[in-house]
Amino acid sequence: MAIFSRTFGTGLLIGAAIAVAIAAAAITYERYDTRTLKRTVKRDAVLCGVNTGLPGFSIPDDKGNWSGFDVDICRAVAAAIFNDPNKVKFIPLDASERFKELRNRKVDILSRNSTWSMSRETEYGLNFAAVAYYDGEGFMVRQSRKIDSALELDGSKVCVQAGTTTQLNLADYFRANNIKYQELNLPKLDDVIKAYDSGQCDVLTTDVSQLYALRLRLTKPGEHVILPDVISKEPLAPVVRQRDDEWLLIVKWTIYAMLNAEELGVTSKNIDDALKSKKPDVMRLVGTEGAYGEEIDLSKDWAARIIRHVGNYGEVYERNVGIGSKLAIPRGLNQLWNAGGIQYAPPIR
């Protein structure tokens, strides 16, 4: 009987140990993922998490066709992998669920105006691939208030989305400048916009890029102005899960390829000429020299595919949010480093 008890007890301990190991493995599998590319190829599509509807960045038309700056980043990844920018399934995600759904593998990449911060990498087990858009928090007010600076907002009621870095920056700015304000925070951005548009608050605050986009959704867009003040650094970047270096490299170098292409003057219109170029840096970019694409499990012409189907960084910026678009946002910091901005990509070599 004693022998049976010891054996039974040992079995329980072994069983418990196995259960703990399985649970730990499940947590690791949920948080870390090393097979994104293989699953993407098998499924024949990239799962891309985007904003639920932000003009210029990610928005569907009445037929469900998505367009925008963030959308084009996912199309570029698909072009690099499949030579087809349409092999993307867009999944709209709210701000409150975006990181959790990425971690849970509902999407392969989050391309959704998300600010790169340390805590978001450490707490969620995620990696921000590369800064696609340099932004900062700003303020929008009604023209009738005749305000020229955020320092004149003392006593204002401010609409802000809850649970965002925007809300934290707002508190820091007003406290640092000894300015009093009332905060109306709501969990969904749509509700924040409606509250501001209906006059429930005097000020709307979010990233400047979003302010340009959201102004188009107001009842009378022309009656609202975006103040020149930028109160924070908001480096917006696509996000992937940690512990999948191969996938991180693909997403990162997709953005860098588009930036390098613009710097080298390679566009969607002259890509065929670029393939004949004898300039070493152009040859490395388009894949006629070296095996850079193969080193990240892509084809030699991976970058040429991106440029042909989606365009270089400048083309993507201008058609979606640039001066010629409805948003008409100046390039500013997002201009190339040799043209007055800070956008800068490591070389392909």
Side-chain angles (χ1 to χ4, degrees):
M1 187 69 175
I3 294 174
F4 173 78
S5 297
R6 285 197 299 271
T7 303
F8 181 71
T10 302
L12 285 177
L13 289 173
I14 294 173
I18 292 173
V20 170
I22 292 173
I27 293 172
T28 301
Y29 178 66
E30 176 182 315
R31 188 162 183 175
Y32 303 124
D33 190 355
T34 60
R35 296 175 293 178
T36 306
L37 178 60
K38 290 181 181 178
R39 271 203 320 279
T40 299
V41 171
K42 184 177 180 180
R43 150 186 348 115
D44 204 35
V46 176
L47 300 182
C48 178
V50 292
N51 196 297
T52 53
L54 187 64
F57 289 87
S58 58
I59 191 166
D61 62 17
D62 54 4
K63 295 181 180 179
N65 299 311
W66 287 83
S67 64
F69 181 89
D70 291 335
V71 165
D72 277 348
I73 289 177
C74 285
R75 292 195 192 282
V77 172
I81 298 170
F82 301 112
N83 198 25
D84 185 348
N86 296 314
K87 289 192 174 184
V88 184
K89 181 179 179 182
F90 295 101
I91 300 172
L93 297 173
D94 192 71
S96 62
E97 62 181 348
R98 52 185 164 169
F99 299 120
K100 181 180 71 173
E101 296 294 14
L102 172 62
R103 189 179 62 186
N104 291 342
R105 300 186 306 283
K106 184 174 182 178
V107 295
D108 301 318
I109 174 176
L110 182 67
S111 184
R112 189 204 174 284
N113 57 294
S114 299
T115 298
W116 188 342
S117 71
M118 181 177 179
S119 62
R120 285 178 170 176
E121 289 196 321
T122 56
E123 291 178 15
Y124 293 102
L126 303 174
N127 278 329
F128 287 75
V131 178
Y133 192 103
Y134 287 98
D135 210 344
E137 183 174 340
F139 301 95
M140 181 159 60
V141 298
R142 291 167 177 80
Q143 280 186 339
S144 58
R145 294 194 66 187
K146 297 182 180 179
I147 288 177
D148 299 317
S149 168
L151 295 174
E152 301 175 51
L153 295 176
D154 190 38
S156 295
K157 190 171 184 179
V158 185
C159 278
V160 61
Q161 186 174 13
T164 61
T165 56
T166 305
Q167 186 180 19
L168 302 176
N169 296 332
L170 173 66
D172 287 347
Y173 179 78
F174 277 79
R175 183 174 60 191
N177 288 285
N178 197 28
I179 303 173
K180 295 181 180 180
Y181 75 106
Q182 288 180 279
E183 180 182 296
L184 175 59
N185 66 75
L186 299 166
K188 293 188 177 296
L189 185 59
D190 283 345
D191 293 333
V192 176
I193 301 163
K194 291 175 182 176
Y196 173 74
D197 200 21
S198 64
Q200 294 181 49
C201 45
D202 318 305
V203 184
L204 175 62
T205 184
T206 186
D207 295 348
V208 173
S209 63
Q210 282 201 56
L211 291 177
Y212 276 93
L214 298 177
R215 181 164 59 177
L216 298 177
R217 295 172 56 180
L218 299 177
T219 305
K220 297 181 179 179
E223 295 183 1
H224 302 265
V225 294
I226 297 168
L227 299 179
D229 311 74
V230 178
I231 68 168
S232 70
K233 295 184 296 183
E234 305 295 331
L236 308 182
V239 198
V240 298
R241 290 176 290 278
Q242 287 181 3
R243 304 286 178 90
D244 193 344
D245 292 345
E246 178 185 52
W247 187 246
L248 173 63
L249 285 171
I250 289 172
V251 176
K252 176 192 298 185
W253 282 98
T254 291
I255 294 172
Y256 288 158
M258 291 192 288
L259 283 166
N260 277 314
E262 183 182 10
E263 184 175 338
L264 294 170
V266 179
T267 72
S268 59
K269 295 180 176 62
N270 66 17
I271 184 63
D272 287 329
D273 292 333
L275 288 167
K276 303 171 187 175
S277 175
K278 297 303 178 183
K279 295 181 179 179
D281 45 7
V282 173
M283 294 174 69
R284 289 191 292 268
L285 172 71
V286 300
T288 53
E289 178 177 292
Y292 301 99
E294 293 169 335
E295 291 174 358
I296 53 174
D297 285 341
L298 298 178
S299 64
K300 284 189 175 182
D301 65 340
W302 66 282
R305 293 176 172 186
I306 294 170
I307 308 310
R308 181 184 301 281
H309 294 298
V310 182
N312 66 32
Y313 182 89
E315 289 178 286
V316 170
Y317 187 99
E318 288 305 320
R319 72 165 166 262
N320 290 302
V321 301
I323 295 299
S325 72
K326 290 182 179 179
L327 271 65
I329 305 176
R331 279 283 291 266
L333 294 178
N334 292 294
Q335 188 60 265
L336 293 180
W337 67 280
N338 56 5
I342 61 174
Q343 276 290 10
Y344 188 104
I348 296 174
R349 65 172 312 138

